Amino acid sequence: RRGQRFMGGKARRLAGGWAPVAAICVAAVALRVGVGLHGYSGANSPPKFGDYEAQRHWMEVTLNLPLQEWYVQTEANDLGYWGLDYPPLSAYQSWAHGKLVAWLEPEAVALGESRGYETASSKRAMRLTALLSDLLFMFPAAAAAVNALYPRESPGSRLW
C-alpha cells in the first residue's frame, strides 16, 4: 500500500510486468557464472588445449595481425593451429574481447608466445568477455526480438 502513493497504476503495472524479465536475466547470468566455475574441454591437454585455447588464440591473432592476415596462412598465423574459421563479425568480437584481455593480462594474447597459456586469471578474464557480450548484445537482441514479435503485450505476459 505504501508504494502505491508514489507510483501510479499504469507505472505499477509496467514495473510488475518487467519483474519476470529481470528474474530470467538474473537466472541466465547466474547460470553462465555457474558454468564458468567448472572446467572445459581440452584443459591442460597439448598440443591444442581445447576450446579455451581456440578462443584465446583467435584473440591473439585478431589483436596482433593486420586484418588481411586473419584468414591467411602466414609465418605468424598458422591456420593448422586453431585457424580463425568463423565469419568476420565473430573475428571482430574476438578482437574486442582481446582488447579487454590484453588490458587485464597482456601475456594471454602475446603473439607467438602465448600458445597453451592457461592461468586462473586469464580464464576469468575470458569468461568475463563472454558474459559482457551476453549482457551487451545477446540479452538486448533477445528483448528486441520479443518486442518485435509481441509489440502490444506487456513484458511479463510475453513470457507466459
Side-chain angles (χ1 to χ4, degrees):
R1 289 283 241 188
R2 256 182 164 169
Q4 289 179 358
R5 282 186 251 168
F6 301 104
M7 204 184 274
K10 185 175 182 177
R12 247 189 340 274
R13 282 191 304 278
L14 237 148
W18 282 103
V21 174
I24 288 172
C25 289
V26 167
V29 169
L31 178 66
R32 284 160 173 73
V33 170
V35 168
L37 296 174
H38 300 285
Y40 53 90
S41 71
N44 299 310
S45 300
K48 286 198 167 182
F49 300 96
D51 297 337
Y52 166 87
E53 176 62 10
Q55 297 295 324
R56 189 215 56 76
H57 182 66
W58 294 338
M59 290 180 204
E60 172 190 355
V61 165
T62 56
L63 271 180
N64 295 294
L65 296 177
L67 175 67
Q68 309 86 296
E69 292 183 25
W70 287 2
Y71 295 95
V72 179
Q73 176 75 32
T74 66
E75 194 172 303
N77 187 18
D78 176 9
L79 294 179
Y81 184 79
W82 293 120
L84 193 55
D85 59 359
Y86 283 135
L89 184 58
S90 295
Y92 286 118
Q93 184 179 19
S94 288
W95 175 83
H97 287 179
K99 287 286 193 184
L100 179 61
V101 171
W103 181 69
L104 295 170
E105 190 163 346
E107 303 84 18
V109 288
L111 185 64
E113 298 173 22
S114 58
R115 248 185 212 193
Y117 189 90
E118 293 184 34
T119 64
S121 57
S122 69
K123 291 174 198 173
R124 281 191 301 273
M126 286 188 47
R127 287 175 173 151
L128 174 65
T129 65
L131 186 58
L132 286 175
S133 284
D134 284 350
L135 291 171
L136 294 173
F137 300 106
M138 207 250 331
F139 287 10
V146 169
N147 281 332
L149 291 171
Y150 306 101
R152 295 176 190 248
E153 296 179 36
S154 71
S157 68
R158 293 179 192 148
L159 300 172
W160 323 113

